[in-house]
Amino acid sequence: MTSETPFQIDIPDEKLTILRAKLELASFPNELEDAGWKYGAPLADIKRLTERWKNSYDWRKYEKEINEQLPMFTRDIDVDGFGALNIHYVHKKSETVDAIPLLFCHGWPGSFLEVGKILPFLTSSAPEHPSFHVVALSLPGFGFSEAPHKQGFAIDQYAEVAHKLMLALGYNEYVTHGGDWGSLITRRMASVYGGRHLKAWHTNSPLPKPPSWRSPLFFLSFLLTPWSTEEKAGIERTTWFQTKGQGYYHEQSTQPQTLGYSLADSPVGLLAWIYEKLVLWTDNYNWSDDEVLTWISLYWFSRDGPAASLRIYFELRSDCEDLGQSPTIPMGASFFPKELIVLPAAWLRKSHNVVFESHHKTGGHFAATEVPEQLVQDIRKMFAKGGPAFAIVPGRTGYA
């Protein structure tokens, strides 16, 4: 593995010119009366965002802010059977020498940018809470990380990249936090590298295994125990997502290349495709137009284009259908009411070694963006003095 290279985002002027030209030529579909969100992203929203993107949104302003706020690097990571991939990542160390190494792993349609709000909290030093050295990679094919060139780059390979990155940074023992695909990837890391390297994992996208007749007593308990108010709301949210929110998943997991042509060529198409998720997957989070456009711009300007990020769905589809054996190392879970799949915590405790769980009244799929203080508080509590995973990384308590 090569040494790391400092990285700054510097999108060529030519790409900005091309983007504006495409936005200038954009065509829009018509819309039914009083449609609202019933058929998808509203026409008025997409027209407003397109107009802002084209005429007054200042990419250079936000590019500068990202470069100043997030210490970024790249390095080559060798992946067995796939060669070396150049991986982009954020790496910020705490001033606390014995801070806990923590890997932050995003999903789709997220990015390394999601770590931005929680980074100052996690790396801060104080006697009241643990501190962390934080690494947030761009998954291969996302952001400024090189995409795989061969078929079959599946969950084991994503886990391998993330693990080898931590080793390359000198973190032989570490903990993780993940959401969306990041949850499944860190779950696999917990299974493959757990114990020796990965000591504990935390997620805001917990995926419990439903009760099965193979565990008769637990299955009987499930049948006889009435739902709580929180559990009923979670099942309702899960049902909504499975029946009305998964069209994107079926397309991206079966024919990602076909969809990719549209997203790679049309910035308005990309905007609508992701904006819909940003709104419907959150808990009434008040997105500013510029916040949305920065999020979308990172996909538009990504190293291998927005289509590259879709292929993870095709390659990991079988892993979603069969999660395999649960990891045995300590797990922490944060439950947010507007996550996409919200199943009873009792199911998770049955199938995983849950040592910490927290239930929140607000928050959705993008917890690090929507409710950063709540997420940080959970991670701190899990690894704090008196917490269930205190000092789980030998020699790194998180305290001075």
Side-chain angles (χ1 to χ4, degrees):
M1 281 180 261
T2 60
S3 59
E4 69 181 12
T5 302
F7 180 86
Q8 293 267 282
I9 305 173
D10 185 16
I11 303 303
D13 288 337
E14 180 186 5
K15 289 191 174 183
L16 292 172
T17 300
I18 292 172
L19 171 60
R20 291 192 187 97
K22 285 180 174 288
L23 292 171
E24 194 69 47
L25 295 171
S27 298
F28 298 91
N30 60 10
E31 184 179 60
L32 299 177
E33 294 180 4
D34 303 318
W37 279 91
K38 186 176 181 180
Y39 293 82
L43 179 60
D45 285 16
I46 300 305
K47 281 189 171 182
R48 183 191 74 250
L49 286 162
T50 299
E51 184 68 20
R52 172 73 177 169
W53 206 3
K54 178 177 62 176
N55 292 323
S56 53
Y57 172 75
D58 186 356
W59 164 255
R60 293 298 184 202
K61 170 187 174 183
Y62 296 104
E63 180 183 70
K64 184 173 183 288
E65 285 184 5
I66 295 170
N67 286 334
E68 290 176 347
Q69 295 172 8
L70 302 179
M72 295 180 287
F73 307 88
T74 61
R75 71 163 68 225
D76 289 346
I77 300 292
D78 290 314
V79 187
D80 292 343
F82 291 85
L85 293 179
N86 190 247
I87 300 300
H88 164 264
Y89 57 96
V90 174
H91 183 201
K92 185 171 183 179
K93 285 193 170 186
S94 165
E95 293 181 0
T96 300
V97 176
D98 293 334
I100 305 164
L102 182 145
L103 172 74
F104 177 95
C105 196
H106 69 84
W108 186 93
S111 72
F112 71 92
L113 195 62
E114 290 181 85
V115 82
K117 289 184 180 181
I118 64 175
L119 193 63
F121 296 113
L122 290 175
T123 56
S124 69
S125 300
E128 298 80 22
H129 59 73
S131 185
F132 300 84
H133 299 314
V134 179
V135 178
L137 82 162
S138 291
L139 292 173
F142 288 74
F144 303 103
S145 282
E146 183 178 1
H149 304 281
K150 299 178 182 179
Q151 299 177 43
F153 196 96
I155 195 165
D156 285 331
Q157 286 69 44
Y158 284 99
E160 181 184 347
V161 167
H163 172 63
K164 286 184 173 179
L165 174 60
M166 295 301 281
L167 296 186
L169 293 172
Y171 301 132
N172 192 55
E173 296 169 307
Y174 58 91
V175 301
T176 63
H177 167 78
D180 195 87
W181 285 121
S183 180
L184 285 181
I185 292 167
T186 54
R187 183 184 190 276
R188 180 55 61 92
M189 293 174 72
S191 294
V192 177
Y193 308 110
R196 180 180 177 186
H197 297 286
L198 176 50
K199 299 300 183 180
W201 63 299
H202 180 273
T203 179
N204 60 279
S205 302
L207 288 174
K209 289 184 177 180
S212 166
W213 58 267
R214 292 184 177 88
S215 299
L217 291 179
F218 184 57
F219 189 67
L220 182 62
S221 174
F222 156 66
L223 294 176
L224 297 178
T225 304
W227 299 109
S228 68
T229 301
E230 178 184 336
E231 288 169 339
K232 288 179 181 177
I235 294 299
E236 183 178 340
R237 174 68 169 176
T238 303
T239 301
W240 167 82
F241 177 64
Q242 292 179 336
T243 58
K244 297 183 178 180
Q246 278 198 308
Y248 82 97
Y249 175 85
H250 295 296
E251 180 66 22
Q252 292 181 184
S253 63
T254 57
Q255 305 292 334
Q257 188 70 17
T258 304
L259 175 62
Y261 295 113
S262 298
L263 302 190
D265 185 63
S266 171
V268 173
L270 178 67
L271 167 63
W273 191 249
I274 294 181
Y275 174 66
E276 171 203 289
K277 284 74 177 174
L278 297 184
V279 174
L280 297 182
W281 292 7
T282 53
D283 188 9
N284 295 314
Y285 178 68
N286 187 24
W287 293 96
S288 71
D289 286 354
D290 279 14
E291 195 174 9
V292 170
L293 293 173
T294 300
W295 196 294
I296 306 301
S297 294
L298 282 173
Y299 271 85
W300 182 257
F301 294 131
S302 59
R303 176 171 178 159
D304 287 300
S309 68
L310 306 181
R311 298 184 191 119
I312 189 172
Y313 283 82
F314 185 95
E315 303 292 6
L316 271 64
R317 183 172 186 176
S318 62
D319 297 301
C320 291
E321 294 169 352
D322 181 10
L323 295 176
Q325 202 68 22
S326 298
T328 58
I329 65 170
M331 175 191 185
S334 296
F335 289 83
F336 292 94
K338 294 302 181 181
E339 180 53 273
L340 303 179
I341 297 177
V342 190
L343 300 176
W347 299 3
L348 190 72
R349 292 192 293 269
K350 175 67 177 177
S351 57
H352 293 73
N353 180 18
V354 179
V355 300
F356 174 87
E357 69 179 75
S358 181
H359 298 257
H360 297 274
K361 300 295 185 183
T362 59
H365 187 64
F366 303 106
T369 298
E370 299 175 66
V371 285
E373 294 89 351
Q374 293 183 43
L375 182 60
V376 167
Q377 186 178 48
D378 286 354
I379 296 173
R380 284 175 173 172
K381 283 182 178 179
M382 181 173 174
F383 297 101
K385 291 177 181 178
F390 173 63
I392 199 164
V393 178
R396 294 183 180 273
T397 65
Y399 294 86

